[in-house]
Amino acid sequence: MTTDHKLAVENLTLGYRDRDVIERLDLLIPPGKITAIVGANACGKSTLLRSMSRLLAPRAGQVLLDGKQVHKMPPKELARTLGLLPQSPIAPDGITVADLVSRGRHPHQRMISRWSKEDDVAVAAALDATSTADLAERSVDELSGGQRQRVWIAMALAQQTELLLLDEPTTFLDVSHQVEVLDLLTDLNRARGTTIVMVLHDLNLAARYADHLIALAAGHLHAAGDPSEVLTADCVRAVFGLESQVIEDPTSGKPLMLPIGRHHVQV
């Protein structure tokens, strides 16, 4: 079932100290879809995601969830609807997979409530969905990069939110694990209708897996829409300063970007 929750930013300005990173940005995240945010380094992708999840307060403008300002919502109320998997999360030393995934249930706990059967079911389902049930008793420290990333996603799934934000979920993973993680997120979107917003560096993976592509350039929106409309040679030149050729991916039918370096001649 597709979520009806609407996430938007209006006239949003974000920054650190004396520098603005995002300026007067307006965006609407399509509910029930997979959105990928792309752009050059330091263009504001991760900063935008941090503000969407309430971690960074706006200098101007607002982030709205169903018309409510997320920065004025009680943290637990927001966490029951919106989950965040930050870039390179760090697990406590010695924590087991099961314990880490169980922490995703924290937003559903009340001060006087105990761990419930519903919590057990949610954790078991998250472990099963990410194929990490056989790792439940192992220490997170012992796992490979791909295994750890699946465990962190399991924790986010256990939170059972209808919106999930992920900051570079494929960073430091080899190509097979990148595809594995993105396939998992696609399964989640299709099975539950979860709205997914993720920052990705790989333009071709972003175009292949996203329903909606957002391209940022120097803190401003350059383009947003269907990947076939956004990922063009003109867009790559404007956003990344790179010459390229964009063709149709013979496997997915999505746009495929071929970079053109100084030592290569476009055919």
Side-chain angles (χ1 to χ4, degrees), residues 238-259:
V239 172
F240 295 94
L242 176 69
E243 294 299 323
S244 67
Q245 181 180 8
V246 178
I247 64 173
E248 181 177 300
D249 185 332
T251 300
S252 66
K254 297 291 189 72
L256 180 68
M257 190 277 293
L258 306 175

Side-chain angles (χ1 to χ4, degrees), residues 13 29 47 81 116 132 146 182 256:
T13 296
I29 302 300
T47 298
T81 302
S116 67
T132 53
L182 294 172
L256 180 68

Side-chain angles (χ1 to χ4, degrees), residues 108-167:
H108 301 277
Q109 305 297 310
R110 303 185 186 278
M111 290 186 65
I112 60 174
S113 67
R114 297 182 178 180
W115 188 264
S116 67
K117 184 175 181 180
E118 183 181 21
D119 295 320
D120 282 329
V121 170
V123 170
L127 290 169
D128 182 62
T130 54
S131 301
T132 53
D134 59 334
L135 305 175
E137 301 308 317
R138 290 183 59 183
S139 170
V140 175
D141 298 334
E142 302 173 358
L143 305 181
S144 69
Q147 289 172 325
R148 280 197 301 273
Q149 197 69 333
R150 294 207 316 272
V151 169
W152 282 110
I153 292 174
M155 187 188 77
L157 297 190
Q159 194 173 332
Q160 292 187 325
T161 62
E162 295 184 5
L163 292 99
L164 184 57
L165 312 183
L166 304 104
D167 192 358

Side-chain angles (χ1 to χ4, degrees), residues 230-243:
V230 174
L231 185 52
T232 65
D234 287 342
C235 179
V236 174
R237 184 183 304 111
V239 172
F240 295 94
L242 176 69
E243 294 299 323

